[in-house]
Amino acid sequence: MIRKFQVEVIRTDKYVVEMDDEILNKKWMDDFSQVFYDFYELEEHAKHIAQFRARYNNCRMDAGYIEGYGLPYLNGQKSIFEKNESMHQPAINIQVLSEDEEIEMNVTAI
């Protein structure tokens, strides 16, 4: 007999996203919005970057490439895996406060 379970996983990740507003300025945001998303405030970019980290790059040893941004620094360090310097984005740093530390699971037999 095959038994099925629906598992709801609720977790909390916390980040500080640091952004250099002298580099990620109005012109940069205008150029970004022409190709990617209509973000015109740094807060919108910070939310997107944190969400991307949580969804796709969680627990990686580097920040992971994020389209439109490049490869942000992670905890103040550039990726040791990427040798092409033009891929690195020193204007963005993701500080990990916590990842996968607060997890709650609800299991229901279906």
Side-chain angles (χ1 to χ4, degrees):
M1 175 169 134
I2 296 175
R3 298 180 63 193
K4 294 183 183 181
F5 299 90
Q6 178 176 315
V7 181
E8 177 185 23
V9 178
I10 303 164
R11 65 175 224 211
T12 301
D13 297 334
K14 295 179 184 173
Y15 307 103
V16 172
V17 179
E18 299 172 339
M19 307 176 85
D20 185 339
D21 63 0
E22 291 181 11
I23 296 171
L24 307 177
N25 55 26
K26 181 177 177 352
K27 181 186 180 330
W28 180 89
M29 282 192 248
D30 289 342
D31 292 345
F32 181 93
S33 70
Q34 298 271 330
V35 180
F36 299 103
Y37 305 103
D38 289 329
F39 297 162
Y40 295 99
E41 300 294 330
L42 287 177
E43 290 83 0
E44 294 170 297
H45 290 280
K47 181 178 176 181
H48 180 72
I49 290 165
Q51 181 181 54
F52 199 94
R53 170 72 185 179
R55 284 187 176 181
Y56 305 113
N57 297 328
N58 188 271
C59 294
R60 280 180 56 128
M61 298 201 49
D62 66 8
Y65 180 83
I66 304 174
E67 190 172 17
Y69 300 97
L71 189 58
Y73 281 33
L74 180 65
N75 297 320
Q77 302 293 315
K78 66 181 177 180
S79 174
I80 60 171
F81 305 110
E82 180 58 60
K83 302 303 179 201
N84 182 348
E85 286 296 321
S86 68
M87 299 294 287
H88 294 279
Q89 176 51 276
I92 302 170
N93 180 47
I94 302 170
Q95 288 186 8
V96 176
L97 301 180
S98 68
E99 285 182 323
D100 285 341
E101 292 178 14
E102 297 176 33
I103 299 176
E104 176 184 329
M105 289 189 242
N106 300 312
V107 180
T108 306
I110 56 174

